[in-house]
Amino acid sequence: MGKGTFCCRWLLLVGLTLLLVACSNRGETDLPEDGQPSRLVSFADCEQLQSYLTESATLKSTLETQFSSAPAADMGLDGGAAEALQVDAAREYTGTNVQEAGVDEADFSKTDGDYLYLVTGGNFLVFDVWPAEEMIELSRVAMEGNPFSLFVEQDKALVLSHVWDFSPLDEALFAPQNWQMVKLSLFDLTDRSAPKLLRESYLEGGYVDARMVDGRLHLVVSSGVYTSGIFPPVPAGTESMLVDTGAGTEIDPALTFPRILDKIYAADGVASTVDEICPCENVYRPETGIGTGLLTLFTLDLADPLGKPHSVSVLGDSGLIYASADSLIVAAQNNNIWAWRPVAESSASSPQASTFVHKFTLGSAPGYAGSGKIEGWVLNQFSMSEHEGVLRVATTEPAWVTGDQPENRLFLLQQNKETLEEIGRLEGLGDPGESIFAVRFVADKGFVVTFERTDPLYTLDLSQPTAPRVAGELKIPGFSTYLHPLANDQLLAVGREGNSTKLSLFDVANLSLPRELAYKLVGDDSYSEAEYDHHAFTWFAKEQVLALPVTAYTQTTDPEGYGGYDVFAGLHLYDVSAEEGFSLRGIIDHEQFYRDEENRLWYYPEPVRRSFFISEENNGDYLYSISRRGVLANDLLSLDEAVSSAELPTEDIYWIYPLEGDGI
């Protein structure tokens, strides 16, 4: 390593010790006259980055004490959209339920119509699932840490894991500074019965989100640095990041900037390299600070799976992620209490809810495109959508921030050089006291659900981005948390009414007159993961069937009952139509995986979490349901008996239920 390179890295590390935790505020003089950050600014070199962070560090103590009693923001629930893919001319299957076609989202299960890929119980598993009657486990690979999600792209699998135990790592080569890392494991699946490990990448920091577009992984990781005064206790066996310099306790400069350990596996051994998570020249800062860490977009092109990855970083808080086929949006909200910036000296006691929106282009190497700032906070990824060059973002400013009522707004932003400029907005969505609970954009239309006591569905006409308007409104009991667009200008909604999961079917063909065609209350004391995770929602368009995970508790006096309750942890199948509404076609019960009658014990009743359909001409339609303990395959024509099943690896968690005369 040359002297210049060493000096550059040392300056960067020292600079980040001074503030990755206080890059949140540079004073009101940095705001343009319109109050909007015009762009992110890159650094010419590590010395410039160090200078910026040194200046920012002087504000740390002020930010740590300001607004320390404010409550945390409720980020709400999540949502998504189904995608049916063709395997060949005769077979089709339902893939992961995603927001945008062609933009895959990380999840713990994937299928390609021939195989099922799972990460569960600390393992990466591959099943042959077609034909359904012959479902069989092909391979099982024990994974380091906690594997939680994956992607599959043709003959490559990418498994994402959380890693907290660093003892297996060579400390002399790589001594992590954070308490957790995101690990990326790349497998060759040419032989599904024996996945071959090609690469392992350890990134310092926490997982934010990930997308797969055109065979390229785009992984977002959030990193941070602790300083004296807010640094938590060091876990046993972990080397402290703090060193005593004699003049006080400081962060060890050798352990400050997030790094990546990359291992490439080949026939002649393992090649390991360690580098910064992002080059200095690819680090950007907002003109007005927004946070206390480093947000990195990491891209790996599977066309060159062993090639060098690309990365770009933003100094600031983590945020919510939205991605289209062409760009990735980071909505970084100032709900970190250290990062709030009063709009004027006189309002120093009143935090302002705002969101910085950063746009990055996607491709073989990610690039920064532009930024903007809007009022309020976004609910989830569905609060954002890009259409014909216009980014639509729905926000809520909470009542505890406004001091009066929640404020719901819709912003329409368009890129002008390196600024996301507001070209249109809608104010006052919802009645007084209501906040946004669900959003969905479909082409030049928008649908927003607000809630306090009733469920108003607002239809939005966005065909003129500079003049968006509320076209119609419908008020019904309960509320929706996920909106799923169907053919024929219909919306299928999942939400709640009282203590029941609620399904609704809306006709939105006439935006000025939305109608509820049908609704279904699943049952008392019921809930579904699909209410807050759109990946649990499966729509099979060919048969117009909804597969919905359901867990329900019913009180019983039956001594065989589960602690006084009958428990259902399975799947409901509903035929859905405008004419008939919701008709229960049948249920899939996973009780066989968690009830142990012989030992008078029940395992914890694991709910069904995912499902998918495979359909082949002349060979029928099959439903596959997945819980943490097992997989079932059922013929849609005969749901009573599974045609095949498979148990999954998991720890045994027993819940004792009393039988008559046995006591407790």
Side-chain angles (χ1 to χ4, degrees), residues 202-279:
Y202 297 80
L203 292 86
E204 291 185 311
Y207 173 80
V208 177
D209 216 335
R211 299 290 189 271
M212 178 75 73
V213 183
D214 294 331
R216 299 185 183 100
L217 167 72
H218 302 286
L219 171 65
V220 182
V221 175
S222 179
S223 308
V225 176
Y226 295 109
T227 59
S228 178
I230 61 171
F231 184 73
V234 177
T238 302
E239 182 180 352
S240 174
M241 292 166 50
L242 305 182
V243 295
D244 189 351
T245 63
T249 302
E250 298 177 359
I251 293 181
D252 181 351
L255 294 172
T256 55
F257 191 65
R259 296 173 300 165
I260 176 174
L261 167 63
D262 214 6
K263 294 183 176 182
I264 305 296
Y265 291 86
D268 56 351
V270 182
S272 299
T273 59
V274 177
D275 209 342
E276 283 79 31
I277 201 169
C278 183

Side-chain angles (χ1 to χ4, degrees), residues 160-348:
L160 297 166
S161 305
H162 296 297
V163 175
W164 295 280
D165 181 9
F166 307 148
S167 57
L169 299 175
D170 182 352
E171 190 172 306
L173 175 68
F174 185 64
Q177 66 181 27
N178 290 290
W179 289 1
Q180 69 168 326
M181 291 186 294
V182 179
K183 179 184 176 184
L184 172 64
S185 302
L186 174 61
F187 292 94
D188 182 346
L189 297 178
T190 303
D191 181 358
R192 261 69 174 182
S193 64
K196 180 182 178 182
L197 183 61
L198 299 178
R199 182 176 200 157
E200 291 180 305
S201 301
Y202 297 80
L203 292 86
E204 291 185 311
Y207 173 80
V208 177
D209 216 335
R211 299 290 189 271
M212 178 75 73
V213 183
D214 294 331
R216 299 185 183 100
L217 167 72
H218 302 286
L219 171 65
V220 182
V221 175
S222 179
S223 308
V225 176
Y226 295 109
T227 59
S228 178
I230 61 171
F231 184 73
V234 177
T238 302
E239 182 180 352
S240 174
M241 292 166 50
L242 305 182
V243 295
D244 189 351
T245 63
T249 302
E250 298 177 359
I251 293 181
D252 181 351
L255 294 172
T256 55
F257 191 65
R259 296 173 300 165
I260 176 174
L261 167 63
D262 214 6
K263 294 183 176 182
I264 305 296
Y265 291 86
D268 56 351
V270 182
S272 299
T273 59
V274 177
D275 209 342
E276 283 79 31
I277 201 169
C278 183
C280 293
E281 61 272 17
N282 287 356
V283 178
Y284 291 82
R285 69 167 177 85
E287 289 191 334
T288 54
I290 60 166
T292 60
L294 189 73
L295 195 68
T296 299
L297 172 58
F298 175 90
T299 296
L300 178 63
D301 193 339
L302 293 190
D304 183 18
L306 302 184
K308 184 175 178 60
H310 299 271
S311 59
V312 58
S313 295
V314 179
L315 289 169
D317 273 347
S318 178
L320 294 171
I321 304 302
Y322 161 79
S324 67
D326 303 313
S327 58
L328 184 140
I329 306 298
V330 179
Q333 304 172 152
N334 70 338
N335 54 353
N336 184 320
I337 61 175
W338 313 128
W340 283 333
R341 307 182 68 256
V343 295
E345 287 295 326
S346 61
S347 63

Side-chain angles (χ1 to χ4, degrees), residues 604-654:
Y604 184 83
E606 303 286 354
V608 169
R609 301 197 59 204
R610 296 294 184 269
S611 61
F612 62 94
F613 294 87
I614 299 179
S615 174
E616 187 171 79
E617 188 177 347
N618 300 323
N619 286 317
D621 304 319
Y622 290 85
L623 166 68
Y624 297 78
S625 53
I626 306 166
S627 64
R628 199 167 65 100
R629 290 189 174 275
V631 183
L632 292 181
N634 289 78
D635 188 334
L636 279 188
L637 295 178
S638 179
L639 294 171
D640 293 338
E641 293 290 337
V643 299
S644 61
S645 65
E647 292 192 6
L648 298 177
T650 187
E651 72 276 12
D652 291 337
I653 303 176
Y654 291 101

Side-chain angles (χ1 to χ4, degrees), residues 121-124 140-144 147 187:
N123 294 272
F124 167 47
R140 179 182 301 195
V141 181
M143 301 296 299
E144 178 185 13
F187 292 94

Side-chain angles (χ1 to χ4, degrees), residues 466-479:
T466 57
R469 67 183 185 90
V470 175
E473 176 183 350
L474 173 67
K475 291 189 176 182
I476 56 175
F479 60 89

